[in-house]
Amino acid sequence: MATAVEQPQDRSQPATPFERIGGHTVLRRITDRFYDLMEQDPAYAELRAMHAADLASMRESLPAFLAGWAGGPRDWFEANPGKCMMSMHAPFPISRQTAGQWAEAMRRAVQDAAPEDTEIAEAFIDVLTRMALGMARG
């Protein structure tokens, strides 16, 4: 019986952050944990109050955004031409407190999802925290 020989992947290009974090599977785990925390932990009540009652569409949208943002498939960006996180959140009264709640919930979600590549997980937390805090006004 012949066995398939696994061909080495072409690594002339470095792995993208999307690949390093664990692709769609891990981004979905992060997103689900993030929204679960927002819905269940009273520490994020003010943040939760800023969102729609039904988070289903956001649970679908965020992992797709993160995938494209991290160098993976750009489906979200193709479906939302000309949009970015800053412009989409401009209408909301984001304070330092709610931005901090978002960043803390995301930090916990990434850590709980436990990506194998801890270096890229910490980089995600750092960049997403800076992005969240950058949206705060006042």
Side-chain angles (χ1 to χ4, degrees):
M1 176 194 293
T3 58
V5 176
E6 189 173 320
Q7 296 296 319
Q9 291 184 332
D10 175 19
R11 285 294 169 200
S12 59
Q13 296 289 330
T16 65
F18 171 78
E19 294 166 330
R20 289 181 62 194
I21 200 77
H24 287 294
T25 301
V26 173
L27 292 176
R28 167 64 60 195
R29 229 173 28 232
I30 291 168
T31 301
D32 285 341
R33 181 65 178 140
F34 172 77
Y35 286 116
D36 289 348
L37 286 166
M38 191 191 312
E39 288 185 309
Q40 299 165 5
D41 191 325
Y44 309 117
E46 187 178 353
L47 175 65
R48 177 62 184 96
M50 293 178 70
H51 289 78
D54 183 359
L55 296 174
S57 66
M58 295 175 130
R59 284 180 182 266
E60 290 302 313
S61 183
L62 184 56
F65 168 80
L66 291 173
W69 173 76
R74 298 194 50 83
D75 299 340
W76 186 93
F77 293 92
E78 291 168 9
N80 297 282
K83 293 186 180 177
C84 71
M85 283 295 116
M86 298 299 276
S87 65
M88 292 182 73
H89 288 84
F92 299 98
I94 300 171
S95 67
R96 294 275 305 160
Q97 182 171 331
T98 53
Q101 288 178 11
W102 191 98
E104 175 61 17
M106 184 56 73
R107 180 193 64 75
R108 286 179 60 191
V110 172
Q111 289 174 337
D112 291 351
E116 288 184 29
D117 186 332
T118 57
E119 181 182 7
I120 199 66
E122 287 301 317
F124 257 66
I125 291 167
D126 180 57
V127 172
L128 290 171
T129 295
R130 287 188 279 130
M131 184 172 64
L133 295 175
M135 289 187 198
R137 293 182 284 287

